[in-house]
Structures are given as structure tokens and as C-alpha cells.
Amino acid sequence: MKNLLQQIKHRRLALKLKQNDMLMRIGISRQQYQRLEAKGNPRLDTLELIAKGLNSDVMLIPKEKLNAVLAVLESDGDNTSLPHKQPDHSDEQKKLSDDPWKGLLEDGDEDDNGN
């Protein structure tokens, strides 16, 4: 698995962006961005800004859910490769195709109020 700086560079290249493009997207000069991508240790607010500029989000993924999340990311929206069982009901399959992340990051036992 790539480290965070490698992921940032990979995402930028996937969007066909040059380091120079980051100035217009997030206000970081090419030199600042180049330094960050090469060996940086960005602050959280800078990391969130970079993620926004790369049409991405920063999030914590529980280790026990990591393989499932990676499978979804690698599937490019093709829900047949999801690591959990597909629902038998067509209504539920439609909901899954609308939201392939459904249930991947939830604990499942409790709601936010502890119920």
C-alpha cells in the first residue's frame, strides 16, 4: 500500500494535474507543493486543503474495514467485487448500487446515541 504522499501524487496524476495546477486549485505554489509531495509533513488543515483540491476527502478507516474499502476503491463502482454478500432483494441491490459504501464504515450495533 502506498504511503500518504505517494497517494497524493498518484491522485494528482490521475486527475492529469501538474504541480503548478495546485496554485490555482488550493493556493499553494509549485515549490511548496513539490516540497510537500517529495518529503512533506503537512498539517491537518493543509492536508484537508490538498484533498479538496484533488476532489478527495481525508478519512480514518478502521483497520478491520480496510480490505473492504480497498476492494470498493479498486472496483471503480463495479459492485460485483464487493467483499460482502449481495442482498437478494432487488430494492436492496438498487440501494447498494447507489451507495457501494453502505455499511462499510459503520459498527452496525449501535446508533450515535448508543442505542
Side-chain angles (χ1 to χ4, degrees):
M1 186 170 172
K2 297 177 185 176
N3 71 36
L4 183 59
L5 297 178
Q6 291 170 330
Q7 290 177 51
I8 290 170
K9 181 177 181 178
H10 185 274
R11 177 65 178 161
R12 177 180 58 79
L13 294 173
L15 293 173
K16 296 180 173 48
L17 297 172
K18 296 179 181 177
Q19 289 178 337
N20 251 0
D21 297 328
M22 298 311 284
L23 176 62
M24 294 300 292
R25 293 180 78 88
I26 61 173
I28 293 179
S29 72
R30 183 190 59 77
Q31 292 86 356
Q32 289 172 311
Y33 186 81
Q34 182 180 37
R35 187 170 40 249
L36 184 140
E37 203 173 82
K39 59 183 181 224
N41 186 10
R43 296 183 334 215
L44 181 57
D45 60 338
T46 303
L47 185 57
E48 288 174 334
L49 188 63
I50 290 169
K52 185 176 179 183
L54 296 174
N55 296 333
S56 300
D57 283 312
V58 176
M59 66 184 302
L60 292 175
I61 301 170
K63 285 190 177 197
E64 64 273 10
K65 303 286 186 167
L66 183 59
N67 288 333
V69 170
L70 290 173
V72 170
L73 291 173
E74 291 171 3
S75 72
D76 289 331
D78 177 12
N79 293 323
T80 59
S81 65
L82 286 176
H84 52 56
K85 291 182 179 179
Q86 294 286 330
D88 293 330
H89 307 291
S90 61
D91 288 345
E92 289 185 30
Q93 284 180 340
K94 182 174 178 1
K95 289 178 189 174
L96 183 60
S97 67
D98 292 343
D99 183 9
W101 296 95
K102 185 168 181 57
L104 285 180
L105 299 178
E106 299 168 358
D107 288 338
D109 298 331
E110 301 176 355
D111 61 23
D112 290 340
N113 297 325
N115 296 327

